[in-house]
Amino acid sequence: MSRVEQTIDVDVPLRTVYDQWTQFEEFPRFMEGVEDVRQTDDRHCHWRTKVAGVRKEFDTEIVDQLPDERVSWRTVGGDVQQKGVVSFQPLDGEHTRVRLAMDVEADGVLEKAADAMGVLDRRVKGDLRRFKGFIEEQGRETGGWRGRIRPADAGTSAGGETGRSTPGAAMGEGPGPVPAEPGPKNMPTPGNERNAWPMPPGPEDPDPRAGM
């Protein structure tokens, strides 16, 4: 298992940065190798990726989501095993520090060789740089979700407090967030969810003004 940690400072206010990150279906716009992300409910996403010519599909579950602070996730089914947390820290009213920590299990000779050469680390670093460029150029979020997901809720299908934006709203085509439907959502449980990994402990928080 490999640990990847990268940090970047973004010249956009905290709320804007956090809200944009909650628009998971837009990840292909700045994440290398991510072809499609389909959000199936407030907690689960289905991913399609293509890296070095190899296509993979997998499902992720949000384990802990606290507005303007963090989003933690883990894979619960498919061709990839990973877990991680992205945290958001205000530097001042107009600048935000984004820190991503991820544990990834390399699978196969090519992936292990790429891991040994630091390819994953460089790819994550590049993803954060592209995210920075994306949100700074936009100047505002394309959508947002402010619901709370708690670790105790992991492994269930019910969502958070409000529904996320529809895909059209996330792309700037619709009116924005819509209320969640009442009652639990019928999300099928992935086959290996009972073996899902526990979340890694987060690294110690740096001084928010260090290096400024």
Side-chain angles (χ1 to χ4, degrees), residues 10-167:
V10 180
D11 299 337
V12 177
L14 170 66
R15 180 169 180 139
T16 301
V17 173
Y18 173 84
D19 283 353
Q20 184 61 57
W21 195 275
T22 66
Q23 302 305 288
F24 305 130
E25 293 188 352
E26 296 213 35
F27 281 4
R29 300 178 70 175
F30 54 84
M31 285 191 175
E32 181 183 356
V34 177
E35 293 188 329
D36 182 68
V37 179
R38 178 172 54 88
Q39 188 155 351
T40 53
D41 66 16
D42 288 343
R43 186 175 292 109
H44 299 89
C45 291
H46 182 77
W47 296 61
R48 286 194 297 108
T49 64
K50 184 179 180 182
V51 179
V54 178
R55 277 196 167 88
K56 292 189 175 185
E57 295 194 32
F58 56 96
D59 299 302
T60 56
E61 176 189 53
I62 301 298
V63 177
D64 185 16
Q65 184 163 344
L66 181 62
D68 296 334
E69 289 195 20
R70 63 181 176 274
V71 179
S72 302
W73 78 95
R74 62 186 175 190
T75 52
V76 291
D79 303 323
V80 173
Q81 287 187 306
Q82 64 173 235
K83 53 188 176 180
V85 57
V86 58
S87 60
F88 308 89
Q89 190 173 20
L91 300 176
D92 55 37
E94 299 297 326
H95 302 84
T96 305
R97 177 160 295 164
V98 181
R99 185 180 65 207
L100 178 64
M102 219 167 66
D103 287 341
V104 180
E105 185 68 43
D107 181 25
V109 175
L110 290 178
E111 285 190 6
K112 291 177 180 178
D115 179 40
M117 293 186 293
V119 172
L120 177 61
D121 193 72
R122 290 194 295 273
R123 191 165 73 236
V124 170
K125 187 174 184 178
D127 289 344
L128 288 181
R129 285 178 174 172
R130 284 185 289 273
F131 173 74
K132 171 183 169 72
F134 175 79
I135 190 60
E136 288 182 355
E137 181 178 354
Q138 291 262 132
R140 62 185 298 272
E141 65 273 29
T142 58
W145 191 74
R146 310 290 298 177
R148 174 74 167 109
I149 294 176
R150 296 171 176 81
D153 299 329
T156 64
S157 60
E161 297 160 1
T162 60
R164 294 185 192 270
S165 302
T166 61

